[in-house]
Amino acid sequence: MMFEKNSTVRASCHCGSIQLDVFLANGLDKIIRCNCSMCSRDKGFGMISVPLEDVLVVSGRESMTEYTFKTETSPHVFCIICGVHTHHKGRASPNNLCINVCCLEGFNSSSFEKKVVTFDGINHIKDS
């Protein structure tokens, strides 16, 4: 599947309980790989950052649980059934949601390695 600019793609957890529609204004032009304690323990997943208004929760609010740590400003959302981290509120960009790119329908990581950028979450600008 291609992730075209100005398209909407479905994101979901493993069991399918949580379903999100994500509008991709820029397609998948940049995938962020963070090295913070949370991301590095979560299989080093990549994420995309999109404006809050570009994400619609289609179903699964009852299956969502949040985990916050350190500054407690960036709740991370997980499925209570399968445990998959689907998204979290961005700390560097609080008006954005960071979506686990591996939850996007049709995503194949090997096709996007050249678009991955690293983010130094260990030395986050909000922690200084």
Side-chain angles (χ1 to χ4, degrees):
M1 170 183 223
M2 297 301 294
F3 297 95
E4 302 292 330
K5 291 182 178 185
N6 298 314
S7 65
T8 300
V9 65
R10 179 65 51 98
S12 64
C13 61
H14 186 261
C15 72
S17 180
I18 298 173
Q19 301 275 325
L20 310 171
D21 277 348
V22 182
F23 178 70
L24 303 174
N26 297 311
L28 285 187
D29 63 336
K30 178 172 68 172
I31 297 170
I32 304 160
R33 185 170 292 145
C34 179
N35 67 354
C36 78
S37 61
M38 184 67 160
C39 293
S40 62
R41 285 177 176 79
D42 195 26
K43 302 180 195 96
F45 77 92
M47 62 188 136
I48 55 172
S49 181
V50 298
L52 291 167
E53 63 270 12
D54 288 350
V55 179
L56 172 67
V57 177
V58 176
S59 65
R61 285 191 192 276
E62 70 284 354
S63 298
M64 293 180 188
T65 190
E66 291 182 355
Y67 173 71
T68 58
F69 60 102
K70 204 169 185 174
T71 61
E72 298 185 6
T73 58
S74 181
H76 287 61
V77 177
F78 294 84
C79 176
I80 62 172
I81 299 167
C82 65
V84 168
H85 169 265
T86 53
H87 62 286
H88 66 274
K89 185 175 179 186
R91 282 198 309 153
S93 301
N95 293 323
N96 283 17
L97 284 179
C98 296
I99 308 295
N100 179 347
V101 72
C102 295
C103 291
L104 298 177
E105 198 170 275
F107 180 78
N108 179 340
S109 61
S110 63
S111 301
F112 291 93
E113 275 304 312
K114 292 181 181 173
K115 295 183 183 251
V116 175
V117 297
T118 57
F119 180 79
D120 188 9
I122 291 173
N123 301 298
H124 196 285
I125 58 174
K126 299 282 185 169
D127 290 342
S128 40

